[in-house]
């Protein structure tokens, strides 16, 4: 991890110290003023803390200290561990400014010293200091790019590789009853989904915008998300956002969503805009995009959520519809600097990704529908990334949702042929994406909708599902298959199998074959010895060990019978 270093520090107790946050240098004098003299109170955690936990402190006051606490007051901290110095920004957590919080995630065990500084407008900072010990943790820690195998992911704490099994739940925050949110997360966790996409800010009238007319606003569900205070929060096109004041209740609800997902082992990709071009979602427009108020929006999110090990950032969904590339670069750089934990960051756009070399980008996200986003597309994406001189994971973040048939997509086929985007079709396409060495985010059907007909589901729109929605079970079988090999050490090697079948291999050691033909054959080095062979049914999850293969016999393994449907074979050197 790269952390900001002290520019001038003799010790944490020194009378004068200096630190730099991005390009802004703050100088704090060690004053003898006490918090009580200024009618504020620092509240510091006393419970033991472990690595990757959330250390949270607060500042409270008996009355509001400024007309607008979101711009007129600030809470900052410096944490020092060993030779590392980490500046952290706090945030206002009450509409009247009587409560500020500061959250910090220690990334390493050890002895920490800190100084908290609270100030109002241009007043003199009020300080408190302390120390705490961080114990080693068994938590998996934040998601990182694997430095040894940078096409793939690893958890910082456990060192375990992370098989990205993701789905879209844009309007999960739209549920008014938070028990429904928790039930949705419970279900997705049971289905082994380990990452979800959630909008912080989005506005729509109903699902007709995406050819999903059964998903409607109701007494339980709203499409209108209000991250800022609004004069008319229920007005779709003119909410009257005050972009200098945050709607604290909205953010506290998102806190609880992130915290519950953390308990369930689910990473939440926080999206700052979904359908930013639509209705009143974007209060800045191109005229004021990237200004101080919009920057505050991104910094506020970083202050609230960077202390959680189960988040990552998405600058905007389909940014190209309402922003330009210069804005993306600006906000991506800002967010990378504002997040002391340096969570993964990307931006969702289309089939092209113009930010391959940008220092703030950690993951490449695409939108390419149907077979246009399948094996060949992901293979080409890997090649373009290699040509850029920087390897990082490739994800088709959207390739068409289950039973979702708008007029757009990969040509006319999928939009007109029945079952063109069925659960089985999406599963097979996901296999293609994974077998190209990439990753994917899927979406469940939303055609049994909120507020109409059978009032369950909502799928990719709001994250809720039921027992009739079985697509994600097949994605769990994909995870089962990959977790039986060290897939991060494998590369695409289709030249080793029948044309039309797909092969990932660490030649001479292990092979994962996704067979779609009546025959399946894999070429092996004759000198590589004996292999165990496992046959998996990707439609049911059943697994069957087959007889061992001696590569010296004919330099290949071949399944002796004709196959019907798709199958998976895993060969491992014994």
């Amino acid at each position: 991890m790269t952390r900001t270093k002290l520019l001038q520090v003799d010790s944490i107790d020194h009378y004068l110290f200096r630190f730099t946050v991005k390009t802004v240098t703050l100088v704090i004098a060690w004053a003898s003023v006490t918090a009580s003299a200024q009618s504020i109170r620092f509240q510091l955690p006393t419970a033991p803390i472990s690595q990757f936990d959330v250390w949270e402190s607060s500042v409270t006051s008996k009355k509001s200290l400024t007309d607008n606490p979101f711009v007129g007051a600030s809470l900052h901290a410096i944490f020092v561990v060993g030779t590392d110095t980490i500046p952290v920004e706090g945030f206002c957590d009450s509409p009247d400014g009587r409560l500020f919080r500061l959250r910090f995630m220690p990334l390493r065990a050890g002895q920490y010293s800190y100084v908290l500084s609270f100030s109002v407008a241009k007043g003199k900072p009020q300080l408190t200091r302390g120390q705490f010990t961080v114990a080693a943790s068994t938590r998996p820690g934040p998601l990182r790019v694997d430095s040894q195998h940078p096409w793939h992911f690893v958890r910082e704490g456990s060192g375990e590789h992370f098989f990205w099994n993701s789905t879209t739940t844009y309007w999960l925050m739209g549920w008014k009853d938070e028990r429904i949110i928790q039930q949705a997360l419970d279900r997705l966790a049971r289905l082994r989904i380990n990452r979800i996409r959630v909008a912080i800010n989005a506005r729509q009238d109903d699902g007709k915008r995406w050819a999903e007319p059964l998903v409607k606003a109701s007494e339980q569900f709203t499409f209108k998300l209000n991250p800022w205070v609004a004069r008319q929060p229920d007005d779709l096109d003119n909410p009257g956002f005050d972009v200098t004041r945050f709607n604290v209740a909205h953010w506290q609800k998102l806190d609880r969503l992130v915290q519950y997902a953390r308990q369930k082992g689910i990473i939440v990709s926080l999206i700052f805009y979904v359908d930013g071009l639509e209705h009143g979602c974007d209060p800045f427009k191109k005229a004021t995009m990237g200004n101080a108020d919009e920057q505050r929006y991104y910094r506020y999110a970083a202050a609230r959520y960077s202390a959680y090990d189960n988040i990552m950032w998405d600058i905007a969904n389909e940014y190209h519809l309402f922003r330009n590339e210069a804005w993306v670069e600006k906000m991506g750089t800002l967010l990378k600097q504002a997040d002391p934990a340096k969570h993964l960051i990307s931006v969702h756009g289309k089939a092209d990704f113009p930010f391959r070399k940008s220092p703030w980008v950690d993951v490449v996200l695409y939108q390419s529908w149907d077979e246009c986003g399948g094996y060949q597309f992901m293979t080409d994406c890997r090649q373009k990334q290699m040509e850029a001189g920087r390897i990082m994971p490739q994800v088709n973040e959207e390739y068409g949702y289950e039973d979702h048939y708008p007029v757009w997509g990969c040509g006319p086929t999928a939009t007109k042929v029945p079952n063109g985007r069925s659960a089985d079709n999406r599963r097979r396409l996901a296999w293609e994406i994974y077998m190209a060495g990439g990753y994917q985010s899927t979406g469940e059907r939303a055609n049994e909708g909120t507020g109409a007909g059978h009032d369950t589901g909502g799928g990719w729109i709001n994250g809720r599902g039921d027992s009739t929605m079985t697509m994600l079970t097949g994605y769990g079988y994909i995870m089962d298959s990959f977790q039986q090999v060290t897939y991060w050490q494998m590369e695409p090697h289709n030249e080793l199998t029948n044309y039309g079948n797909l092969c990932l291999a660490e030649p001479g050691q292990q092979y994962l074959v996704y067979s779609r033909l009546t025959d399946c054959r894999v070429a092996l080095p004759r000198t590589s010895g004996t292999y165990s062979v496992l046959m998996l049914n990707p439609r049911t999850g059943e697994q069957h060990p087959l007889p061992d293969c001696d590569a010296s016999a004919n330099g290949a393994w071949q399944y002796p019978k004709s196959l019907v449907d798709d199958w998976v074979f895993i060969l491992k050197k014994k």
Side-chain angles (χ1 to χ4, degrees):
M1 290 298 299
T2 301
R3 299 181 181 87
T4 307
K5 300 293 185 181
L6 283 176
L7 296 184
Q8 179 182 336
V9 166
D10 295 331
S11 76
I12 198 70
D13 296 318
H14 196 270
Y15 174 83
L16 182 68
F17 65 93
R18 185 183 303 257
F19 65 92
T20 300
V21 184
K22 288 55 124 183
T23 59
V24 180
T25 300
L26 303 177
V27 180
I28 301 178
W30 199 264
S32 60
V33 179
T34 64
S36 59
Q38 298 296 318
S39 300
I40 70 164
R41 180 187 178 194
F42 287 100
Q43 295 178 311
L44 305 169
T46 57
I49 185 169
S50 298
Q51 188 183 15
F52 311 123
D53 280 344
V54 180
W55 186 95
E56 182 174 307
S57 61
S58 62
V59 173
T60 58
S61 61
K62 295 181 179 179
K63 62 180 181 179
S64 180
L65 302 176
T66 177
D67 290 340
N68 186 343
F70 299 98
V71 298
S74 64
L75 176 62
H76 293 87
I78 304 172
F79 295 89
V80 177
V81 54
T83 59
D84 290 336
T85 300
I86 309 116
V88 178
E89 186 174 355
F91 58 93
C92 179
D93 201 27
S94 64
D96 59 6
R98 291 192 291 174
L99 174 62
F100 278 73
R101 298 186 190 275
L102 187 138
R103 294 171 179 161
F104 169 61
M105 175 174 60
L107 296 176
R108 53 185 280 195
Q111 186 72 23
Y112 284 72
S113 300
Y114 65 87
V115 176
L116 296 180
S117 170
F118 179 78
S119 60
V120 178
K122 297 181 180 179
K124 197 171 189 178
Q126 298 176 58
L127 311 173
T128 190
R129 58 177 178 168
Q131 294 182 336
F132 58 90
T133 300
V134 174
S137 172
T138 58
R139 283 199 62 79
L143 188 63
R144 306 297 189 199
V145 174
D146 181 357
S147 61
Q148 300 301 311
H149 307 94
W151 294 117
H152 302 284
F153 302 97
V154 69
R155 298 302 289 262
E156 179 177 344
S158 65
E160 295 180 356
H161 283 85
F162 180 86
F163 186 79
W164 177 293
N165 188 23
S166 174
T167 195
T168 300
T169 63
Y170 285 138
W171 265 270
L172 189 57
M173 279 284 288
W175 292 107
K176 299 174 185 178
D177 184 345
E178 293 184 47
R179 290 175 298 181
I180 297 177
I181 295 176
Q182 293 185 357
Q183 290 163 3
L185 292 171
D186 289 340
R187 174 179 173 271
L188 293 174
R190 288 195 300 270
L191 290 164
R192 302 172 65 195
I193 291 296
N194 56 18
R195 175 185 176 268
I196 58 174
R197 305 169 67 203
V198 175
I200 302 175
N201 174 27
R203 298 181 75 77
Q204 196 54 260
D205 50 358
D206 58 31
K208 291 196 301 291
R209 164 67 173 79
W210 319 280
E212 295 288 359
L214 294 181
V215 185
K216 301 180 179 182
S218 69
E219 291 182 359
Q220 293 190 92
F221 176 73
T222 179
F223 276 101
K224 302 180 182 76
L225 303 184
N226 297 305
W228 297 277
V229 172
R231 292 191 306 273
Q232 303 159 150
D234 294 326
D235 190 313
L236 180 63
D237 293 301
N238 298 291
F241 285 135
D242 180 351
V243 293
T244 70
R245 297 177 185 270
F246 294 104
N247 177 12
V248 171
H250 174 81
W251 294 86
Q252 290 172 341
K253 180 179 177 182
L254 184 55
D255 288 356
R256 293 186 290 272
L257 185 157
V258 169
Q259 291 161 0
Y260 194 79
R262 185 174 185 261
Q263 296 176 30
K264 294 295 177 179
I266 296 175
I267 290 173
V268 182
S269 181
L270 294 171
I271 310 172
F272 286 85
Y273 296 94
V274 168
D275 283 349
L277 186 65
E278 298 287 321
H279 303 293
C281 179
D282 175 16
F284 303 102
K285 309 300 183 186
K286 287 189 175 181
T288 60
M289 65 181 183
N291 69 0
D293 292 323
E294 190 173 33
Q295 291 180 44
R296 187 182 305 108
Y297 172 41
Y298 282 77
R299 291 202 316 273
Y300 189 80
R304 288 197 81 109
Y305 301 112
S306 62
Y308 295 103
D309 62 354
N310 67 315
I311 65 108
M312 62 177 293
W313 306 111
D314 186 340
I315 299 298
N317 191 72
E318 297 186 342
Y319 76 89
H320 56 286
L321 298 180
F322 72 111
R323 290 288 191 267
N324 58 33
E325 293 175 14
W327 174 86
V328 174
E329 294 281 10
K330 179 177 181 176
M331 305 314 287
T333 301
L334 170 76
L335 189 56
K336 178 69 77 174
Q337 292 171 341
D339 178 359
K342 302 295 183 269
H343 292 284
L344 300 185
I345 302 180
S346 192
V347 65
H348 174 79
K350 46 188 176 178
D352 186 28
F353 192 86
F355 313 105
R356 296 181 186 277
K357 297 183 179 181
S358 299
W360 57 270
V361 172
D362 302 297
V363 183
V364 181
L365 303 181
Y366 304 101
Q367 176 176 310
S368 185
W369 278 47
D370 305 320
E371 284 64 30
C372 290
Y375 188 87
Q376 190 58 53
F377 172 77
M378 296 304 293
T379 300
D380 293 344
C381 289
R382 280 170 62 98
Q383 182 61 37
K384 292 176 183 177
Q385 198 63 50
M386 287 189 284
E387 292 170 357
R390 182 185 176 203
I391 304 302
M392 54 184 161
Q394 310 287 294
V395 181
N396 193 344
E397 189 84 318
E398 183 180 325
Y399 53 96
Y401 303 120
E402 176 191 12
D403 291 342
H404 180 57
Y405 296 96
V407 295
W408 58 85
C410 177
T413 302
T415 61
K416 294 180 179 178
V417 174
N419 298 320
R421 296 195 186 111
S422 66
D424 188 65
N425 175 283
R426 298 298 90 180
R427 177 190 63 81
R428 292 169 186 264
L429 189 52
W431 266 105
E432 288 193 26
I433 293 169
Y434 284 123
M435 293 301 293
Y439 293 95
Q440 60 78 37
S441 294
T442 191
E444 291 185 287
R445 60 182 174 86
N447 53 7
E448 285 186 323
T450 307
H454 182 202
D455 190 21
T456 61
W460 65 268
I461 293 181
N462 59 37
R464 187 173 67 162
D466 63 17
S467 60
T468 70
M469 299 165 68
T470 60
M471 180 181 73
L472 295 181
T473 301
Y475 285 71
Y477 299 150
I478 300 176
M479 179 180 282
D480 286 336
S481 301
F482 274 79
Q483 290 182 334
Q484 297 195 53
V485 296
T486 54
Y487 59 87
W488 54 92
Q489 296 177 318
M490 305 170 83
E491 295 287 336
H493 280 283
N494 291 348
E495 76 280 2
L496 301 177
T497 190
N498 318 57
Y499 182 77
N501 288 340
L502 305 176
C503 177
L504 282 171
E506 183 184 6
Q509 297 296 323
Q510 55 179 343
Y511 301 80
L512 173 61
V513 181
Y514 179 57
S515 174
R516 304 179 291 185
L517 307 175
T518 56
D519 300 299
C520 184
R521 185 178 189 275
V522 186
L524 304 170
R526 285 183 179 272
T527 59
S528 59
T530 302
Y531 292 82
S532 64
V533 184
L534 184 66
M535 183 179 188
L536 302 95
N537 186 330
R539 288 157 279 113
T540 67
E542 295 176 276
Q543 302 184 17
H544 307 283
L546 300 179
D548 289 351
C549 168
D550 181 1
S552 63
N554 56 13
W557 170 86
Q558 183 165 341
Y559 188 66
K561 302 177 182 179
S562 293
L563 294 165
V564 177
D565 233 316
D566 58 336
W567 292 90
V568 177
F569 298 96
I570 294 175
L571 283 72
K572 289 185 179 181
K573 183 176 179 180
K574 299 189 73 170

